[in-house]
Amino acid sequence: MYLHGTSRINEKGHLEIGGCDTVNLVEEFQSPLYVYDEELIRRKCRAFINAFRDSGFSFQVAYASKAFCTMAMCQLVEEEGMSLDVVSAGELYTALQAGFPADRIHFHGNNKSIEEIEMALDAKIGCFVADNFYELELLNQLAMERGEVAKVLLRITPGVEAHTHEYISTGQQDSKFGFDVISDQALRAIQTSLAADSLELLGVHCHIGSQIFETDGFLMAVERVAAFLQEVKEKTGFTCTVANFGGGFGIRYTEGDTPLQPEDYVKAITSKVREEFTKRDIPLPELWIEPGSSVIGDAGTTLYRVGSTKEIPGVRKYLAVDGGMTDNLRPALYQAVYEAALANRMNEAADDLVSIAGKCCESGDMLIWDVKLPVARPGDILAVTSTGAYGYAMSNNYNRIARPAVVFVRDGEAEIVVERETYADIVKNDRVIKRASLQR
Ligand SMILES: *Cc1c(COP(=O)(O)O)cnc(C)c1O
């Protein structure tokens, strides 16, 4: 198992993260438990920001909060000088409750409701990333009713397909997101925005996918966007203040993954923008990016207690833990692959091949197919690494299982940032039927 950030094996042979023994963490906070390495999150934020500082571009690095949106995380990225992407009123509310400065919030989404737009206008957020013509019309109208002007970026799909799982590639033409460049929708969207009295067009946005390990997809996106902006300039005279190249920078889930460093992605994008924009005689824009997973993914580890075992001779050995698709949906949703180790027995030989099952009533509720561990016993602690992105974020109450707590660890201290759900939380929105006529 790859040890990320401040993770190490301590004198007791236990996994330690942020100076905290994970065995103690489970004793104190119970399991399952999401543990985040605060130092590693901050390092990732700084790596992106410093790389942009070195580039000479004006920039914003917006954390794509959907990857892990909690008040504590909003506070932390604010401290690190990041901006924030939200995709719903719930995420916006979380950010505002955490005191995140509204002018550094960008609102995404392909179907923002009137209520969501109103809430964002009330809060005076930094900009809307408009996704379709309906939204442009709605936003223009709602801003006009207030006598305000809303700042917008247009999400365009430049026709780049990232080398990644098809469910999570979004830059290609056939996508539910954004204005298509190839069929001229994008150009029409620019014209529509420029003609709208209550919209101020800042520029364009594209996001080509997730878990991208090479720079070539981004380079191609920069080239396509530059070519598009050249056409825009010729046909409308408009030049962008902002170009946003999205997120999707790869992270290490397993030992075999070989992501680039944040600075490698930033350097590739900034130098390609300089080259392409200069060549086409378009003024250099302010550059924005939107890392999600790459800020938070490998900083998160989930700790579980091992329970039952089922061995089918010659077929497979199943090891069940006290969580599953309720706290990590990604394996069931898109066959995401993770690594694991026994956190209380890190120095023991891992020669027992097992598959890690969750406790939900779904055969697809498997966390890991085929991982080598020491022969596990009930009560052992299983640590699954790199669960920081889209783990807690996609957690759910299937089978009425309560969501785990989240702790941030740093310098030997652990702090709860999300409380474990209680049984009372599970039924808090339920109402018993009050009708007297209930048949018996
Ligand atoms: C999901 C998303 C991101 C973040 O993607 P990661 O793969 O988590 O880095 C950034 N921008 C947009 C528009 C997104 O939808």
Side-chain angles (χ1 to χ4, degrees):
M1 186 178 84
Y2 187 87
L3 293 174
H4 298 272
T6 67
S7 293
R8 65 175 203 112
I9 300 171
N10 70 13
E11 316 67 48
K12 293 180 181 162
H14 295 173
L15 175 64
E16 182 185 288
I17 308 173
C20 295
D21 187 319
T22 54
V23 175
N24 297 342
L25 290 175
V26 167
E27 270 159 23
E28 185 175 353
F29 302 107
Q30 284 77 53
S31 61
L33 184 68
Y34 297 108
V35 180
Y36 281 87
D37 181 345
E38 186 181 329
E39 174 63 33
L40 183 54
I41 304 172
R42 290 184 188 276
R43 263 188 231 164
K44 291 289 168 68
C45 296
R46 285 171 200 170
F48 280 112
I49 290 204
N50 290 337
F52 268 110
R53 286 222 173 98
D54 293 344
S55 77
F57 274 91
S58 296
F59 67 93
Q60 284 189 41
V61 180
Y63 167 60
S65 75
K66 72 177 194 271
F68 173 68
C69 185
T70 61
M71 287 167 59
M73 185 60 186
C74 292
Q75 280 178 299
L76 195 154
V77 296
E78 200 280 314
E79 263 179 44
E80 293 296 338
M82 312 264 281
S83 299
L84 199 76
D85 280 1
V86 299
V87 299
S88 71
E91 288 182 356
L92 175 58
Y93 185 78
T94 305
L96 295 173
Q97 287 294 110
F100 200 93
D103 62 346
R104 273 159 45 202
I105 297 177
H106 315 149
F107 199 166
H108 278 268
N110 68 315
N111 191 24
K112 302 176 188 78
S113 68
I114 292 175
E115 293 72 22
E116 286 177 317
I117 294 175
E118 296 273 13
M119 181 174 166
L121 288 170
D122 284 344
K124 306 204 181 307
I125 64 159
C127 85
F128 292 82
V129 184
D131 196 274
N132 51 70
F133 289 104
Y134 171 69
E135 181 184 341
L136 284 178
E137 197 184 310
L138 198 58
L139 182 57
N140 183 47
Q141 188 190 328
L142 294 173
M144 192 178 308
E145 283 166 13
R146 297 160 173 255
E148 291 173 9
V149 174
K151 293 193 166 107
V152 288
L153 288 187
L154 299 179
R155 177 165 184 167
I156 62 172
T157 41
V160 176
E161 209 158 340
H163 304 286
T164 180
H165 195 293
E166 88 177 289
Y167 292 1
I168 47 182
S169 17
T170 51
Q172 78 277 19
Q173 189 181 15
D174 184 5
S175 162
K176 77 167 182 174
F177 294 109
F179 298 99
D180 175 38
V181 171
I182 295 165
S183 67
D184 265 6
Q185 271 180 6
L187 180 63
R188 280 196 293 123
I190 297 258
Q191 290 162 333
T192 303
S193 308
L194 292 174
D197 288 334
S198 297
L199 300 182
E200 179 188 347
L201 182 61
L202 296 184
V204 294
H205 164 280
C206 70
H207 172 71
I208 59 170
S210 274
Q211 190 60 352
I212 302 165
F213 283 136
E214 304 99 25
T215 56
D216 53 351
F218 293 104
L219 300 183
M220 198 183 294
V222 170
E223 195 183 319
R224 295 274 180 92
V225 167
F228 171 65
L229 291 175
Q230 184 172 23
E231 185 192 350
V232 166
K233 188 181 159 198
E234 282 158 11
K235 294 195 172 150
T236 70
F238 174 74
T239 54
C240 275
T241 314
V242 173
N244 183 333
F245 290 98
F249 314 110
I251 69 155
R252 181 180 273 115
Y253 285 98
T254 65
E255 210 111 32
D257 290 340
T258 51
L260 300 172
Q261 297 303 308
E263 49 271 29
D264 299 329
Y265 292 107
V266 173
K267 273 182 202 150
I269 291 171
T270 51
S271 53
K272 186 71 172 175
V273 167
R274 186 164 274 122
E275 176 194 327
E276 289 290 329
F277 281 60
T278 307
K279 184 169 88 187
R280 295 164 195 276
D281 202 22
I282 312 170
L284 290 181
E286 182 171 325
L287 285 183
W288 295 5
I289 57 164
E290 312 173 314
S293 311
S294 52
V295 170
I296 194 74
D298 59 16
T301 301
T302 311
L303 303 176
Y304 303 92
R305 287 268 193 204
V306 170
S308 63
T309 303
K310 170 180 176 176
E311 188 159 11
I312 310 162
V315 178
R316 183 179 299 281
K317 184 169 167 186
Y318 287 91
L319 197 67
V321 294
D322 55 359
M325 63 188 287
T326 42
D327 58 77
N328 188 357
L329 193 59
R330 295 184 73 253
L333 191 60
Y334 36 69
Q335 295 89 49
V337 178
Y338 289 89
E339 285 182 344
L342 291 183
N344 54 326
R345 299 164 61 192
M346 294 295 286
N347 290 331
E348 292 180 38
D351 43 23
D352 193 26
L353 185 67
V354 297
S355 292
I356 309 297
K359 62 178 281 148
C360 297
C361 295
E362 283 290 329
S363 293
D365 177 27
M366 294 295 298
L367 288 174
I368 306 178
W369 292 100
D370 295 331
V371 59
K372 283 192 161 176
L373 300 175
V375 177
R377 300 180 283 261
D380 277 340
I381 294 167
L382 185 86
V384 179
T385 48
S386 287
T387 58
Y390 309 107
Y392 175 77
M394 288 186 179
S395 65
N396 59 82
N397 291 125
Y398 179 52
N399 291 161
R400 295 235 135 177
I401 291 171
R403 285 183 180 79
V406 183
V407 293
F408 276 16
V409 291
R410 186 187 182 182
D411 298 333
E413 282 181 32
E415 185 171 357
I416 284 264
V417 299
V418 181
E419 296 282 352
R420 182 176 302 282
E421 281 181 338
T422 62
Y423 299 127
D425 291 332
I426 294 284
V427 296
K428 82 168 181 269
N429 294 327
D430 285 22
R431 298 293 177 264
V432 293
I433 300 172
K434 290 199 182 104
R435 280 179 288 132
S437 63
L438 262 188
Q439 305 287 323
R440 304 214 170 242

